[in-house]
Amino acid sequence: MSLFGRIFRRSVCCLLGVVSGVCAAQQQFTHQPEVELTEGRVTSIQAGTFQSPPAGVDVLYINAPTVTAGVSTVNVGALLNSPQSFKTPGNDIIPFTNVSNVVAALGDFNSDGILDFAFALTPSGSNTTNLCVYYGTGATASQTSSNGVTSYDGGNFYTPRGIKNGCATFAVHAGGIPPNFAYIAAPPFTTHGVSQLVIEDSANKYLYVIQNNGGTGSTLPGFVVKQPILSLADGAGPIYYGDLNGDGNTDLVINGQTNYTATVYLGNGDGTFKPR
């Protein structure tokens, strides 16, 4: 039916007093969606509570890479619930340069009750920094500083609190092709209780298990890659986790992409896993 036909039908329906339920079914949405500007085309989002006290669900977004003068940059930013509307923190964007892809996971990495952000960076060119963590401040959308609103330590203009945030290179498996970090998750898989990390290299079909003891610092001293690195025979895919066998330890499920399977890795509670 043409647009004119739909409008005419709806108008006649309402004017003739046809049953209200039928007439209502012809109505369209009248409220415009809320629109917030980001730094570019958004490739992925994460929803969580970044403010303290909570004001609702906030959003972390990642933009597609842009190339300027041969340098590839991925911008990451936050949208804070205000509540029932969103505020874009002014100037509070994290720019990752010399990277071709960024994936993010949310977790409490230092047991302060506030969500933090972990990023796995796929290098571009000569860049070798692969893991970054930004610790949440719990600041609300109504709190401002000279540099704008912020919910986390970091960004391009916001001075880190205690120099907790940072980036560090973790060793990738020798002999492989350049990595592509396509999936990341932050399960609490050890007895420490804080969020840990698992990162998949989809180019080489490896899973890196990174244990966290809660220590903070610009060189990420709390994060250590556990050995052995797990080889994903069916390819890397989305990560799911939970206690699958009731032993109190977090287990992993990897949705393999080669043959479209699900591979289970049972956790031992110490940061190591074994295939089921």
Side-chain angles (χ1 to χ4, degrees), residues 7-19 23 27:
I7 295 174
F8 179 78
R9 178 180 174 184
R10 187 174 63 200
S11 300
V12 171
C13 169
C14 296
L15 288 173
L16 294 181
V18 179
V19 179
C23 186
Q27 301 296 322

Side-chain angles (χ1 to χ4, degrees), residues 154-165:
N156 197 22
F157 303 100
Y158 188 69
T159 303
R161 202 176 42 172
I163 317 299
K164 292 190 303 185
N165 307 319

Side-chain angles (χ1 to χ4, degrees), residues 154-212:
N156 197 22
F157 303 100
Y158 188 69
T159 303
R161 202 176 42 172
I163 317 299
K164 292 190 303 185
N165 307 319
C167 297
T169 298
F170 66 92
V172 296
H173 199 279
I177 63 176
N180 177 35
F181 300 119
Y183 301 97
I184 183 174
F189 53 72
T190 72
T191 54
H192 294 293
V194 295
S195 298
Q196 321 286 312
L197 287 171
V198 287
I199 301 173
E200 288 186 20
D201 172 7
S202 62
N204 295 285
K205 301 180 182 180
Y206 291 132
L207 179 70
Y208 294 91
V209 178
I210 301 178
Q211 190 166 339
N212 168 36

Side-chain angles (χ1 to χ4, degrees), residues 5 15 17 23 72 75 81 126-127 131 143 180 197 222 225:
L15 288 173
C23 186
S72 177
N75 287 317
N81 201 313
S126 60
N127 184 50
L131 175 64
Q143 294 174 323
N180 177 35
L197 287 171
V225 178

Side-chain angles (χ1 to χ4, degrees), residues 145-157:
S145 69
S146 59
N147 295 318
V149 180
T150 184
S151 65
Y152 51 88
D153 283 341
N156 197 22
F157 303 100

